[in-house]
Amino acid sequence: MSSTQTAPDSAETPLSVAVIGAGPRGAGVLERVAANLGTEWPADRPLILHFIDPFPAGPGRIWRFDQSPLLKLNSMAADVTMFTDETSVIDGPVRPGPSLSDWVDQVRAGTIELTPVDAALAAEISTLTGADFPTRRLQSLYLDWFFRTAVDDLAGAVTVRVHPARAARVDDLPGGDQLVLLDDGSSIVAHLVLFSLGHNGSQPEPEHAALAGFAERHGLVYLPPAFTADADLSAIQPGQNLIVRGFGLAAVDLTVLLTEGRGGRFDRDHTGRLVYLPSGTEPRLFLGSRRGVPYRSKISSTLVGDRPVPRFFTTAAAARLESESESLDFTAQVWPLIAQESLWGYYRELFTGHPERVSLPWAEFADRFATIDPRALPIAAGSPVAADARRSSHPLVEFGADAPAIEQDITRFRELVAEGVPDPVDRLFLPEFDRPLHGLRFESGEELQQALREHIRADLDLRTLPEHSATLGLFVALLTSLFTLSDIIDSPKWSARSRVRDIHGWWLGYFSFIASGPPGHRLEELIALSEAGVVEFLGGDLWVEADETTGLFHAGSANVDTVVTAAALVDARLPDTSVSRSDNELLRALISSGGGLEHVVADGDYVGSTGRLLVRQHDTRVVDADGGLHERRFAIGPYTNSPFVGAFSRPRTNAISFRENDKVARALLQHLATLPAATSVDA
Ligand SMILES: Cc1cc2nc3c(=O)[nH]c(=O)nc-3n(C[C@H](O)[C@H](O)[C@H](O)COP(=O)(O)OP(=O)(O)OC[C@H]3O[C@@H](n4cnc5c(N)ncnc54)[C@H](O)[C@@H]3O)c2cc1C
């Protein structure tokens, strides 16, 4: 146990909070507790904050320093802050501080001192610009500094104790105090507990257990969904065929670790083209997924058109929808408005920022666009409506008697775009954007490789060149819509099916595909790896088979007849959230003891589970198995049924994570203040 700050002597017995999980969210709550002292807590009243985590406090597990220097954030340095600012709408005080890139400036200027760093980090710090994608190790230093600064800033009689251990369970003591048992055999008694457990793995699903069994029987390699930075990749042999199922950020990290991480190098040839120089120890990676294409790359252009102001999915529209509907369905009611807002964001930037690329005045396009039924916008032209809706990844909506009118609006939208946007490169239709390989057939694997490389190159152009800043308009509109959605996400009116299937289902994946992709340079590297023959693309609607006859894995796709055979398979994605099947003993104990409840939802004949821990949104109090609020427990993070908010944010975006941190910090302090005089706590 290490104490980072000691309170002055006081006759009063201290009250205490045990924060389990000291990753960026736990650290963010600490900063908010510090900010709210004095107003929500008497400055001279003793308070102990225990931070329990086997990983370093501040960075936690995901951002620990001890990981490959090749792994990066998927945000630019200027877009990462842990601090509130003038846009933050919070009850507690705003306390500004440096973004990651400002922090690096201050390190360079010597106003922030770091303990000596290795040569790679020193080089990164000396050259980093706000537009660079920093390494996770650099972010680790920023988060470590953030935590230490928050501790130093604590006013009054507050003590922080850091416990480098894993919490195994939390029990209620008579009278309500909380007994936290740690895996080093020690325990802590606290008045309140805040669970901030972040991302957790889960015990294998039946499919993964079956694949693992198959691999074991036949001496193959199979890696189930996991955190790539933690996975043991040593069993994957040089030159071996490796099927990678999934094309998101986990697949990108895996590719980095198995190529550059194995000694390969990227270089530029005399034309400036990126080339990959293999080390010879890489496997041969076959990448595929349902979409068959990587996530859309991060955008580096800037907006030059009219200021983005929500027009269709506004705060008022969301509130109206919520109050006027008996029951809410995301796919049927909200998604069309988000689609409308997203397309509006895209075309507004295209027309107002790049008038030379369009052939109608914005006012005319805008007026005609606004008359199109929003339900037509996520669906491609052609008939019948339902068949084309299959192009996109969300479930179908039955339009019934409205179908013919919607068909007409689909056609009107297509005609409007064709008339106003001469270059097909500038035309955006959401179904094709979401599933670019859908319905395409290639004669050979090589044709597919070429098509994929062209697709990735075109995507890179669209998301980096200044003349294509309309894609940033799309991104901003989608992000704003996510914030707007958070206003009504607590509504009890969501149908159970929509909550499970849509909000905690396809919508998250869709948003990540468009807005949480890798840095552009990773996609350029993917092209170079493909040209070097180290990476091959499998296509979309990927299928994988465990063939007992050959004792090998087979994989193929809907786009080409080629079938790949391999002795190694990786499911490259994060494990699904399931608190009852979590690999985190503490979460499982919470559920099995009745101290917490998995979020099961039901209406009519539908019963489903979001897999998350049920908390009351208003203050994040944990709901127990009887449906009551636990008196002493709070929980935040991606394993709870609160909306996913991440931990850090772009500056000046009124970030939801900071609003949530402020809310829970104040709730903790307010709740502590109502407790009877302290009894038996660990000081
Ligand atoms: C692989 C990965 C990459 C990501 N990259 C980005 C990115 O580039 N940009 C971005 O904005 N977001 C990214 N995210 C999103 C991520 O949600 C946030 O960056 C952030 O890590 C969330 O903070 P957290 O504290 O809630 O969770 P975590 O960072 O997961 O921290 C939770 C902490 O709880 C601890 N813990 C869990 N159980 C126990 C226990 N029983 N006892 C004690 N301690 C426990 C863990 O050790 C961990 O340190 C990424 C997420 C993942 C999984």
Side-chain angles (χ1 to χ4, degrees):
M1 182 195 288
S2 66
S3 171
T4 50
Q5 183 178 327
T6 311
D9 282 346
S10 165
E12 210 173 348
T13 313
L15 285 159
S16 65
V17 182
V19 180
I20 308 179
R25 274 310 290 285
V29 171
L30 170 66
E31 189 276 335
R32 288 289 85 207
V33 166
N36 282 287
L37 289 173
T39 54
E40 300 309 309
W41 188 256
D44 57 349
R45 188 158 178 200
L47 173 65
I48 299 174
L49 301 171
H50 297 279
F51 280 84
I52 304 160
D53 199 317
F55 292 95
R61 172 185 176 186
I62 305 289
W63 305 102
R64 64 184 187 265
F65 189 80
D66 181 18
Q67 61 180 303
S68 167
L70 295 170
L71 295 176
K72 292 193 169 181
L73 257 93
N74 67 338
S75 313
M76 294 188 286
D79 285 346
V80 176
T81 189
M82 284 292 285
F83 290 96
T84 50
D85 55 42
E86 71 282 4
T87 67
S88 303
V89 181
I90 49 178
D91 291 332
V94 165
R95 297 215 308 192
S99 67
L100 174 56
S101 93
D102 294 342
W103 177 83
V104 167
D105 283 344
Q106 293 184 29
V107 169
R108 281 196 289 244
T111 44
I112 291 177
E113 277 186 35
L114 284 186
T115 49
V117 293
D118 57 52
L121 258 175
E124 182 178 5
I125 290 171
S126 71
T127 57
L128 189 95
T129 71
D132 287 329
F133 290 86
T135 61
R136 290 197 192 151
R137 294 198 317 154
L138 184 64
Q139 173 72 347
S140 184
L141 295 183
Y142 174 63
L143 290 170
D144 170 69
W145 171 85
F146 174 82
F147 186 86
R148 287 187 290 109
T149 306
V151 172
D152 290 346
D153 286 352
L154 283 168
V158 184
T159 304
V160 170
R161 294 193 190 288
V162 175
H163 307 261
R166 176 168 290 280
R169 60 179 291 133
V170 178
D171 289 330
D172 291 314
L173 290 174
D177 290 348
Q178 300 292 292
L179 176 67
V180 185
L181 299 168
L182 307 187
D183 67 352
D184 62 5
S186 65
S187 61
I188 295 164
V189 177
H191 294 97
L192 299 182
V193 168
L194 172 65
F195 297 92
S196 179
L197 309 178
H199 298 275
N200 296 279
S202 57
Q203 292 164 338
E205 288 168 34
E207 188 202 356
H208 306 136
L211 287 169
F214 174 78
E216 204 178 324
R217 276 198 307 285
H218 296 283
L220 312 179
V221 178
Y222 170 65
L223 299 182
F227 298 95
T228 315
D230 300 341
D232 178 5
L233 307 177
S234 58
I236 298 167
Q237 300 298 315
Q240 176 177 47
N241 281 2
L242 168 68
I243 298 165
V244 179
R245 183 158 62 167
F247 221 153
L249 294 177
V252 170
D253 285 350
L254 181 81
T255 306
V256 169
L257 294 176
L258 289 173
T259 54
E260 252 191 302
R262 290 208 169 174
R265 274 193 315 110
F266 291 98
D267 208 347
R268 298 225 172 248
D269 69 9
H270 66 283
T271 64
R273 194 174 61 106
L274 194 71
V275 288
Y276 181 69
L277 308 169
S279 68
T281 55
E282 306 86 347
R284 218 157 150 227
L285 294 107
F286 291 86
L287 297 168
S289 67
R290 195 166 42 89
R291 288 188 180 91
V293 294
Y295 282 12
R296 301 287 176 174
S297 94
K298 276 273 150 50
I299 302 170
S300 56
S301 50
T302 39
L303 291 179
V304 291
D306 286 0
R307 202 165 69 86
V309 179
R311 160 82 195 266
F312 298 100
F313 190 49
T314 58
T315 311
R320 201 167 47 248
L321 187 68
E322 201 279 334
S323 70
E324 290 174 2
S325 308
E326 263 178 40
S327 155
L328 282 171
D329 182 281
F330 180 84
T331 301
Q333 294 169 280
V334 175
W335 164 237
L337 295 177
I338 294 181
Q340 194 178 24
E341 191 63 56
S342 303
L343 288 164
W344 177 259
Y346 176 89
Y347 285 112
R348 177 186 45 213
E349 173 65 11
L350 179 68
F351 277 76
T352 64
H354 306 280
E356 73 288 356
R357 302 187 74 85
V358 298
S359 46
L360 283 177
W362 168 233
E364 183 183 339
F365 185 94
D367 284 351
R368 287 168 61 185
F369 178 86
T371 64
I372 290 165
D373 186 330
R375 291 174 300 170
L377 297 172
I379 300 171
S383 65
V385 165
D388 268 337
R390 280 193 199 98
R391 290 174 70 94
S392 48
S393 46
H394 58 79
L396 298 183
V397 176
E398 297 302 333
F399 295 113
D402 290 346
I406 289 175
E407 289 278 8
Q408 275 181 16
D409 273 16
I410 291 168
T411 308
R412 282 176 55 216
F413 177 49
R414 293 259 162 183
E415 286 170 357
L416 172 61
V417 172
E419 195 183 329
V421 184
D423 188 342
V425 161
D426 290 323
R427 295 177 189 164
L428 176 71
F429 301 109
L430 292 179
E432 288 95 323
F433 190 67
D434 180 33
R435 300 292 297 271
L437 292 183
H438 183 85
L440 300 184
R441 289 286 301 168
F442 297 93
E443 289 295 313
S444 66
E446 189 39 45
E447 235 185 61
L448 173 69
Q449 307 311 305
Q450 277 174 23
L452 251 292
R453 289 197 289 264
E454 273 163 31
H455 165 83
I456 296 170
R457 246 181 230 116
D459 184 49
L460 269 174
D461 285 351
L462 283 176
R463 296 170 84 82
T464 51
L465 299 180
E467 63 268 32
H468 292 306
S469 62
T471 54
L472 185 58
L474 169 76
F475 169 82
V476 170
L478 196 66
L479 192 67
T480 312
S481 298
L482 185 77
F483 290 171
T484 306
L485 177 65
S486 74
D487 292 346
I488 56 167
I489 205 84
D490 300 353
S491 170
K493 293 183 176 177
W494 292 107
S495 79
R497 189 187 302 271
S498 188
R499 202 173 263 292
V500 174
R501 180 196 65 183
D502 307 336
I503 295 174
H504 291 291
W506 71 263
W507 160 245
L508 274 186
Y510 184 91
F511 181 84
S512 300
F513 172 66
I514 296 180
S516 299
H521 73 87
R522 290 292 189 216
L523 293 184
E524 199 188 358
E525 288 166 11
L526 200 57
I527 295 172
L529 288 166
S530 159
E531 285 170 343
V534 174
V535 158
E536 281 204 29
F537 305 112
L538 286 170
D541 291 320
L542 178 76
W543 57 262
V544 172
E545 197 179 270
D547 182 358
E548 289 288 354
T549 323
T550 57
L552 290 167
F553 296 111
H554 300 305
S557 78
N559 301 116
V560 67
D561 288 335
T562 317
V563 173
V564 169
T565 298
L569 167 68
V570 177
D571 267 318
R573 64 176 170 86
L574 291 180
D576 288 337
T577 301
S578 167
V579 287
S580 51
R581 286 193 305 101
S582 174
D583 65 359
N584 196 328
E585 182 188 356
L586 177 64
L587 269 177
R588 288 202 313 277
L590 192 62
I591 301 296
S592 62
S593 67
L597 192 62
E598 181 165 324
H599 186 206
V600 173
V601 285
D603 49 28
D605 56 0
Y606 179 84
V607 181
S609 169
T610 64
R612 289 165 161 78
L613 184 74
L614 189 60
V615 299
R616 177 166 75 170
Q617 302 296 310
H618 145 71
D619 57 2
T620 75
R621 288 260 297 279
V622 174
V623 177
D624 65 23
D626 298 329
L629 290 177
H630 195 287
E631 264 303 302
R632 304 292 189 98
R633 297 179 186 170
F634 296 71
I636 52 172
Y639 63 95
T640 71
N641 68 316
S642 297
F644 180 73
V645 298
F648 32 85
S649 162
R650 292 179 162 214
R652 285 174 285 287
T653 53
N654 185 20
I656 310 179
S657 50
F658 304 156
R659 286 188 259 158
E660 291 291 308
N661 289 348
D662 191 64
K663 187 173 83 177
V664 71
R666 292 171 66 83
L668 287 168
L669 293 175
Q670 286 159 4
H671 201 69
L672 270 183
T674 66
L675 294 180
T679 49
S680 55
V681 290
D682 289 317

